[in-house]
Amino acid sequence: MTRMDRVVKGGRVYFGGRLQNADLWIRDGKIASLGGAHRAEETIDGRGKIVLPGAIDVHVHFRDPGYTFKEDWETGSTSAVAGGVTTVVDQPNTDPPTVDARSYRMKLDIAERRSVVDFGLNGGPGDVKRLAALGAAAIGEIFTYDHDDDGLQKILNETAKAGLLPTIHAEDREVIQENTEPLRDRREPELYSLARPNRAESRAIEKVLEMAERAHICHLSTSEGLDLIRAAKSKGRRVSCEVAPHHLIFTKRDWRRQGTFLKMNPPLRDFRDKDALWDGLRKGDVDVIASDHAPHLPEEKKDEIWDAPPGVPGVETMLPLMLVAVRSNLLSLDRLVDALSRRPAEIFGLASKGAIAVGKDADLAIIDPRAASEIRADRLHSGAEWTPYEGRRALFPAITVIRGEVVYSDGELFAKPGFGRNIPGPGRKNMARARSED
């Protein structure tokens, strides 16, 4: 009888493509056995609960360094684990932006001291070779509207040469400018969807597909964009994409209720796009669900439409909202696990993450399916202090486990800042050489 560190006992565990009654045994932070007779020093009570692989959110903005009045690594990562997210990939548009060795090391040092969740750090379009060597998870999100065609091509070429994945914020600058200028003197929030129409996204995706052999499209929002990605995949192209919960839940009609609080890039679309995104997600054409967690304070979001900052918080509510979608038959549990765990791990090279299987990190979201509740901002952990999902039904995890350690249980955080570990990207093996060149 093997001695184990912990056992999750009596739960229905998701492995082998379905929920199965099995005890999950943990040793040295890894899943050591599924079923079998062993002994454990500690028991996690899984009775009446389902045990899922921890969610991987490949698109968060934790605002640290530079904008810590909105969020920092401690509040952002606490919000993540409270929502069943066990690994995040942080974006580079902080202050300073993560575009060179100095800024990357600064952010890495902060995250290693403050994060309670495991993490990767994306590098921005700057010193791509050095960022790859230091361990950047990917390059991006690359905002296509910040670059002309030659500049974008150069970034994509450098990223490919460095062996990293380019992650793309796909909105075309010329289309945005053309549609925004006639509206500048008006203040109705719903105009923002007209200023950044569907064509802005599809045109940018077209350009990227012309320029790059491999790409990941962030926060897909349109049926036209989905059609382009489907066509590219059918031809064997190495393209993947993600959808954010806000584009699956809200449409342009919701401008009337929440106004500038729902300003985001890309903006809200219509029901046709929302239905297409759900269809793409169900069929697997949309690979990943990612929150695009972009916190701003309420007083900032109250500004008029052209000045309010774009983005909504969502890392803590992503899995809970999608579990309710599963219960409502909008999505299968298998596809949800695929989109929140397996595919993110595959696309971003997180080899130890993404599944409940022997040898993988014991990263778990343990859910009581009877414990649905209403989302309330005052119960959430983000520094943003508000949520666009106020009052919506959700299934929050009872327990979150990272590398075999209970980090969150029944509303209480057990991990200390600095528990989270960096997961370097594929260029990390060259780090010693990069340091020697400094």
Side-chain angles (χ1 to χ4, degrees), residues 209-279:
L209 292 176
E210 291 168 1
M211 295 179 180
E213 291 298 317
R214 180 186 180 214
H216 177 80
I217 305 300
C218 300
H219 41 54
L220 185 73
S221 68
T222 66
S223 60
E224 294 91 339
L226 177 59
D227 287 343
L228 289 167
I229 290 168
R230 278 176 164 153
K233 287 185 173 186
S234 72
K235 297 175 183 176
R237 297 290 301 279
R238 297 174 67 196
V239 59
S240 56
C241 64
E242 68 192 45
V243 66
H246 47 258
H247 287 126
L248 294 170
I249 291 173
F250 300 116
T251 68
K252 289 188 285 189
R253 287 190 181 182
D254 291 291
W255 282 118
R256 302 172 190 171
R257 187 168 62 90
Q258 297 201 54
T260 53
F261 279 82
L262 286 182
K263 180 182 177 181
M264 63 196 64
N265 293 334
L268 297 179
R269 307 299 186 186
D270 62 26
F271 282 101
R272 177 179 64 92
D273 298 299
K274 176 181 169 180
D275 290 346
L277 293 174
W278 275 111
D279 182 67

Side-chain angles (χ1 to χ4, degrees), residues 82-84 315-325 393-397:
V315 68
E316 188 169 347
T317 51
M318 176 177 65
L319 173 61
L321 285 165
M322 293 299 103
L323 285 168
V324 169
R393 300 293 286 174
L395 268 171
F396 288 92

